[in-house]
Every structure is written in C-alpha cells, then in structure tokens.
Amino acid sequence: MANTQKVVLAGCGGMSRAWLKTATEIDGLEVVGLVDIIEDAARARRDEFKLGGATVHTELEDALKTHKPDLVFDVTIPDAHAPNAITAFKHGCHVMSEKPMAGDMDGARRALAAARAAGRQYAVMQNRRYHRGARRVHHFLGAQTLGPLTTVNIDFFIGAHFGGFRDHMAHVLLLDMAIHTFDSLRYFSGSDPVAVYCKEWNPAGSWYDRDASAVAIFELTNGIVATYRGSWCSEGLHTSWECDWRFVGQRGSATWKGGLGDGDDFQSQVLKPGEQTGFMRDFDSAPIGEMDTAGIDSGHESCIRDFVKCVRSGAQPLTHAADNIKSLAMCFGAIESAERGQRVEIAA
C-alpha cells in the first residue's frame, strides 16, 4: 500500500518477540530490517515471524542507510538506547525504545535534544500505563475520592532468576525494574519528583552480582511523600509485578495489589459524611468503579499501537520521552543517593 510505514527493529533477544508480534499485526506497518550484534539472532527472528523480505544487520546505521525507515523500535540493552535513538533521529526516524530511556541522564538528555532537533516522535515502553487495573486506579485517584493524596507506600518483592545480562548489571532493580514503579507513581499521583533518600544493597544469598534490593523515600510535588521497598532476590510471598500499593488521602485510604481492581485486589475506605467525634472515625467502602478500558491490553501491544497511532496523527504519545525522563531521573536520583548515602535533589 502507498502509505506503508517501514520499521527497523534493533535488538533481537527474547523481548523482541512481543514487539514483532504487534508490529506485524498493525495495518500499514512493514518490518524491513532486523538488527542485532549476533547476526544469527536477527536471522532467527526473521524466520520465526516469516519476514522474508526483511534484511539482517549487525549495525543499526547499515539498516537505516539501506531502508530509510519511518520508525525504529529499539529493544537493545539499556546502554545502547540513547546512542541508537540519536542515530535514528539523524536519519529522520521516529523512535520507540524499551525502558529505561538511557543508561544515564546525560544520554537521555542528548537523545531528547536530538528528537526535538529532528522534529520526530520519541517514546519509551512504559507498558504499565496500559495495564487495565492501573488505568482504573488512575481514574479513581483522579476523581479525588480520597481527597488530596498525602502519602504513597509501595512494595515489590519477587525472586526473579533471569540469567543473562541482568545477573551482572549494576543497580539492576532500580534501573531495570523500578523505572516501571516510579513511572506508575508519577502517573497515579499526578506529581513529579523533588528529592530522594535511598539505601541499596545485595542481601546474602542473592544470585545477582550487584545490589538487587533497595529502600527509598521520595519527596514529590504537591507535598506527597512516597516510600518504595523492593527486591528482585526475595523468595516466597511474592507481590505482583505491578507491586502492592497503599494510597493515603486526606479523607481516606486505598490499597491495590496490582491486578484488575476486582475483589480483594482493591480496597478503599473514606470518611462517612457528616460530623464525627470519638477516638476512631467511621468509614464507608469506596469501590474502584468501572471505566472504559477498550484497547488496553496490559502489555506491550497497547503502548506500541498508541505510539504508531500518534506518529500518524501527530498527537503526543502517553509515554513520550519528554515526560518519561522525569521517571528516569527518579532512578538515577535513587542510585546517586545510595552511592552517596544522603538525600539527593532530583532534576530531569
């Protein structure tokens, strides 16, 4: 078709399957090139998804020169995200990258500046914003049922045996996983980071080379204080991947365990109306309520589809990089605080 948009995908590891599954199902999108430093990995993905017309490359630059694509999907390792984005913008491409946006804040700022100079869309994979339950929680909190938020407490405890690069990655929890949680915190609270104090460590018995556990206290705009307790080497009694959350407002509190917000997964109590006296006040339950979640699949698909739709319409993606860099700043602020052992102010 005349208006077909060409896509080059960089990084053909396991996560690329989710990207390619969606890319090959979007009308008017054609995957024309696959890039990986291991050529056989790119060739394997081409064969798996029957992309007979796609070429295989070990360098992104070669694929861009060969095809002059409209979009680049970057599913490489974190340190490659910013250099790949900058290269793609030089070739006039729109870019959607896996999280985190970059391996450091300087790279993120340079990539964002390159996107602005090129006048191209730049978004980051933050699939939790497309989780059905998260959308319902966001809607509930936005209705001010609890009154203004004052406090958010977050727990994440999972024993994840990945193997591969994560086992050797510095700050693996804060940089590779907590980015999702910190972005969700901003999404739910409608607030941005101000400062953080963080302790990071690697517990005895951990199968990671570097620190895989952390505790952090964040100060946010609107006077909100948030706590994060997390571990990727915690066996037993796992939380969900979306975390366990407690939201405290001026008129009530809510808890969410990361599911769709049904049953015991979501609970909320708000003060009963009218004047009350006594040591403890009385409360009413406040259900999360229903909302339209059509097109929200709780995974990569909705995020990718929204990005492509915005490229075509000129609208701004929900996970655009100019916003997501604030979530990344929370990760690096926490890392800096852990390394220095003191409170650190956060600036994106």
Side-chain angles (χ1 to χ4, degrees), residues 131-132 135-136 139 187 289-296:
H131 184 283
R132 292 187 188 94
R135 282 291 178 92
R136 295 178 71 192
H139 181 75
Y187 180 56
E290 295 300 325
M291 64 171 293
D292 183 10
T293 55
I296 304 302

Side-chain angles (χ1 to χ4, degrees), residues 7-334:
V7 179
V8 164
L9 180 138
C12 295
M15 186 57 71
S16 66
R17 287 191 175 96
W19 288 72
L20 287 171
K21 180 181 182 299
T22 298
T24 54
E25 293 173 351
I26 297 177
D27 290 339
L29 214 59
E30 180 186 4
V31 179
V32 296
L34 298 168
V35 183
D36 199 282
I37 57 174
I38 301 173
E39 189 172 336
D40 285 346
R43 189 172 290 109
R45 286 292 175 269
R46 181 182 65 182
D47 296 343
E48 179 181 352
F49 285 87
K50 298 179 174 57
L51 302 171
T55 57
V56 168
H57 306 263
T58 57
E59 296 289 341
L60 178 60
E61 185 90 34
D62 292 340
L64 300 181
K65 289 179 178 178
T66 299
H67 295 288
K68 297 179 174 58
D70 303 285
L71 296 87
V72 168
F73 291 161
D74 186 2
V75 199
T76 59
I77 62 173
D79 284 344
H81 292 169
N84 285 347
I86 292 168
T87 297
F89 292 133
K90 287 179 180 177
H91 286 264
C93 304
H94 303 281
V95 175
M96 186 168 197
S97 166
E98 258 296 346
K99 55 78 191 166
M101 183 178 169
D104 55 51
M105 287 302 296
D106 180 63
R109 294 184 184 108
R110 288 188 291 108
L112 183 56
R116 288 169 170 160
R120 291 295 181 264
Q121 295 273 27
Y122 185 19
V124 182
M125 175 55 71
Q126 294 288 179
N127 52 307
R128 267 61 176 184
R129 291 202 180 200
Y130 293 85
H131 184 283
R132 292 187 188 94
R135 282 291 178 92
R136 295 178 71 192
V137 170
H138 176 259
H139 181 75
F140 174 86
L141 295 172
Q144 293 278 297
T145 304
L146 306 180
L149 281 181
T150 65
T151 310
V152 182
N153 301 131
I154 312 160
D155 282 345
F156 176 84
F157 293 97
I158 285 180
H161 296 261
F162 290 105
F165 75 91
R166 287 183 179 86
D167 284 3
H168 315 290
M169 182 178 171
H171 313 293
V172 61
L173 176 70
L174 288 175
L175 190 56
D176 193 55
M177 185 63 208
I179 179 66
H180 284 303
T181 307
F182 298 163
D183 186 70
S184 293
L185 173 59
R186 293 184 51 246
Y187 180 56
F188 290 148
S189 67
S191 300
D192 289 327
V194 174
V196 60
Y197 179 82
C198 181
K199 166 68 176 178
E200 189 182 24
W201 76 101
N202 204 27
S206 170
W207 48 95
Y208 293 88
D209 291 347
R210 313 289 286 276
D211 293 342
S213 295
V215 173
I217 303 171
F218 285 99
E219 302 166 34
L220 306 176
T221 55
N222 302 314
I224 296 171
V225 173
T227 65
Y228 171 80
R229 302 187 302 178
S231 177
W232 242 352
C233 57
S234 175
E235 298 286 38
L237 298 178
H238 290 171
T239 65
S240 75
W241 285 90
E242 318 309 325
C243 303
D244 285 354
W245 297 74
R246 176 179 285 268
F247 304 97
V248 181
Q250 292 181 19
R251 296 195 299 109
S253 297
T255 59
W256 179 54
K257 295 184 178 180
L260 298 182
D262 299 319
D264 291 339
D265 179 64
F266 179 89
Q267 294 183 323
S268 178
Q269 291 185 333
V270 294
L271 284 167
K272 284 188 174 182
E275 290 243 358
Q276 294 194 51
T277 59
F279 184 65
M280 293 286 193
R281 300 304 194 245
D282 293 325
F283 300 89
D284 289 324
S285 62
I288 193 171
E290 295 300 325
M291 64 171 293
D292 183 10
T293 55
I296 304 302
D297 71 349
S298 78
H300 280 59
E301 180 178 351
S302 293
C303 198
I304 295 169
R305 286 185 178 276
D306 185 45
F307 175 68
V308 173
K309 179 180 177 181
C310 288
V311 166
R312 292 172 174 174
S313 68
Q316 189 175 68
L318 178 62
T319 62
H320 65 97
D323 178 76
N324 191 251
I325 196 171
K326 298 175 185 178
S327 300
L328 187 68
M330 295 179 73
C331 295
F332 284 111

